[in-house]
Amino acid sequence: MTTPRRAKPPTFSPDEFREALGMFATGVTIVTARSADGTLVGLTANSFNSVSLAPPLVLWSLARAAGSMPALSTGSHYAINILAANQKALAERFATKNIDRWADVAFTEGLGGAPVLAGAAASFECFNRSRYDEGDHVIFVGEVERCTHNAGASPLLFHGGRFYTEHPL
């Protein structure tokens, strides 16, 4: 048997693919950074995963067309803030375009100037180690230089296009 060299064309639409992906429940993060000119950058993302314990590596992805791509692809550091259940409004704010996402947001300055959000269930302060172009996204691999967590914090979840603050299990 010979192994094909390329994947077959999809038999589904982009909307069908998005709906199927939505069946995977995830946590919700806000990725934050400070651009070279000092501007704060932040966006809601659920494409977060652990990669390695030694060295400590995590990954997340961002659409190539995202307005924050220049700052995030060239900066030395970013923070990944895993949101707590009571931070749904913050997740919605950082997913909205053309607003001041940072108005009245409490944070401390992390490594490389990346904001670490107050009240997050956990945070990972990352050196921007590597990036991989795949499809219409860039996969970022961060080397974690510092992490914190709030023991007992209830996470914010995302499933089927909706946020969940209570866990039915």
Side-chain angles (χ1 to χ4, degrees):
M1 182 164 112
T2 60
T3 304
R5 295 190 180 267
R6 297 188 70 127
K8 293 179 183 177
T11 59
F12 48 85
S13 72
D15 287 341
E16 289 171 316
F17 186 52
R18 180 181 289 273
E19 288 175 16
L21 289 171
M23 296 312 295
F24 183 66
T26 67
V28 181
T29 72
I30 294 178
V31 179
T32 59
R34 188 177 297 273
S35 68
D37 69 3
T39 303
L40 296 176
V41 176
L43 60 109
T44 301
N46 68 342
S47 59
F48 169 76
N49 199 30
S50 61
V51 175
S52 170
L53 293 176
L57 302 175
V58 295
L59 67 76
W60 65 284
S61 64
L62 179 63
R64 279 195 220 173
S68 54
M69 181 60 78
L72 288 162
S73 64
T74 60
S76 67
H77 288 81
Y78 53 80
I80 300 170
N81 302 273
I82 297 178
L83 299 186
N86 65 353
Q87 293 179 306
K88 178 183 175 215
L90 201 58
E92 291 169 336
R93 177 192 295 193
F94 277 81
T96 303
K97 295 181 180 183
N98 302 317
I99 64 165
D100 179 2
R101 294 176 176 175
W102 292 97
D104 302 319
V105 173
F107 67 89
T108 57
E109 189 164 317
L111 299 172
V116 177
L117 301 178
S123 65
F124 300 88
E125 296 176 61
C126 302
F127 172 73
N128 197 355
R129 179 180 170 124
S130 54
R131 288 158 303 288
Y132 302 93
D133 289 335
E134 288 295 338
D136 58 2
H137 276 63
V138 173
I139 300 166
F140 287 79
V141 176
E143 186 162 354
V144 180
E145 295 182 330
R146 182 165 48 200
C147 67
T148 60
H149 73 281
N150 291 320
S154 185
L156 180 62
L157 298 179
F158 191 74
H159 177 263
R162 294 182 50 207
F163 291 107
Y164 289 87
T165 58
E166 295 184 18
H167 312 122
L169 300 177

